[in-house]
Amino acid sequence: MADFARRRDRMIERQIIGRGLADARVVAAMRAVPRERFLPEDLRDSAYEDGPLPIGAGQTISQPYIVALMVEAAAIQPGDRVLEIGAGSGYAAAVISRLAGEVDAIERHPELARAASLRLAALGFDTVRVHAGDGTLGLPERAPFDAILSSAGGPEVPDCLRRQLQIGGRLVMPVGGRSGDQTLVKVVRRDADRFDAETLGPVSFVPLIGAKGWRDEAPRTPVGLP
């Protein structure tokens, strides 16, 4: 049987702390979440490698370092209400939940949303709610949020997401091309109409699909035809 706990500790030392992410709360959150449980069984042996992995529906579970980087940049505090866009397998939402008070996570693929919700409940991450829907629109009925993190990259930060931040709230998301050539951006809401932004470095994420993101270009099976 694979020693996942030992591999997780080694991943944290090499990929997280070794790259300069030393926030003790973020490190503890990464240590508390078994990444292997958020992967298809045939990929669990690769859970602590330094890279993203496929989870179905053309989506991926993010590289551990990137999850830690985004969570640290979001400066999540105990009691914060957090929105995650692009829930995927639920892994990042689980990490966030170890730091925040409540987490809402949106996933556009209903089958992934259902699987993530069941997985999180089974593992005891009971402060996370998973919603199936268009993440580019945020979750206005649950706003405002102390932090918003997007696990998919859009052409720009949708204004509706910025407006769902509390004053002082932080948004972290990749912005740039549809595939590759993206930059991780952090936005802080200073007052009703003022937002400060900074760049955190180059990244590569799956595209953020939706009304305020990229158009869905996936091929469709014609309805009513064999």
Side-chain angles (χ1 to χ4, degrees):
M1 186 174 181
D3 184 356
F4 288 118
R6 179 177 54 81
R7 295 185 189 185
R8 192 179 314 128
D9 286 342
R10 186 170 60 205
M11 176 273 288
I12 288 166
E13 292 299 323
R14 294 179 179 179
Q15 300 177 33
I16 310 301
I17 298 173
R19 289 179 176 172
L21 300 180
D23 184 301
R25 294 180 64 244
V26 174
V27 169
M30 296 291 291
R31 207 181 296 278
V33 179
R35 189 172 188 253
E36 71 276 5
R37 298 291 297 274
F38 293 84
L39 285 166
E41 196 162 347
D42 62 334
L43 291 176
R44 288 183 177 179
D45 214 40
S46 302
Y48 296 104
E49 293 178 2
D50 186 22
L53 291 166
I55 57 170
Q59 305 303 297
T60 60
I61 184 173
S62 294
Q63 176 186 6
Y65 169 75
I66 290 295
V67 173
L69 175 66
M70 293 180 69
V71 170
E72 184 170 291
I76 299 165
Q77 300 302 310
D80 276 359
R81 298 180 64 250
V82 180
L83 174 65
E84 191 215 3
I85 297 162
S89 68
Y91 173 67
V95 173
I96 293 166
S97 76
R98 299 299 85 183
L99 299 162
E102 300 177 51
V103 182
D104 286 283
I106 308 178
E107 171 53 54
R108 76 183 184 94
H109 296 280
E111 67 275 24
L112 291 183
R114 285 192 298 271
S117 184
L118 292 171
R119 184 179 299 114
L120 288 159
L123 293 173
F125 295 100
D126 53 8
T127 59
V128 182
R129 299 180 185 86
V130 181
H131 311 261
D134 183 351
T136 70
L137 302 176
L139 205 62
E141 65 271 26
R142 295 279 296 160
F145 298 98
D146 298 288
I148 299 175
L149 297 87
S150 175
S151 298
E156 60 185 5
V157 177
D159 187 62
C160 60
L161 295 184
R162 297 191 304 163
R163 299 281 171 189
Q164 289 177 38
L165 288 171
Q166 295 266 25
I167 304 302
R170 294 81 55 200
L171 180 150
V172 180
M173 97 173 252
V175 172
R178 186 183 174 101
S179 59
D181 193 27
Q182 298 163 349
T183 300
L184 193 63
V185 173
K186 177 178 179 177
V187 174
V188 180
R189 186 173 195 176
R190 298 301 184 188
D191 58 34
D193 297 305
R194 185 164 65 92
F195 300 85
D196 292 343
E198 64 176 303
T199 58
L200 304 176
V203 290
S204 180
F205 279 77
V206 295
L208 179 64
I209 305 295
K212 304 296 182 180
W214 298 105
R215 187 167 62 89
D216 186 0
E217 295 179 353
R220 303 289 182 181
T221 301
V223 177
L225 297 177

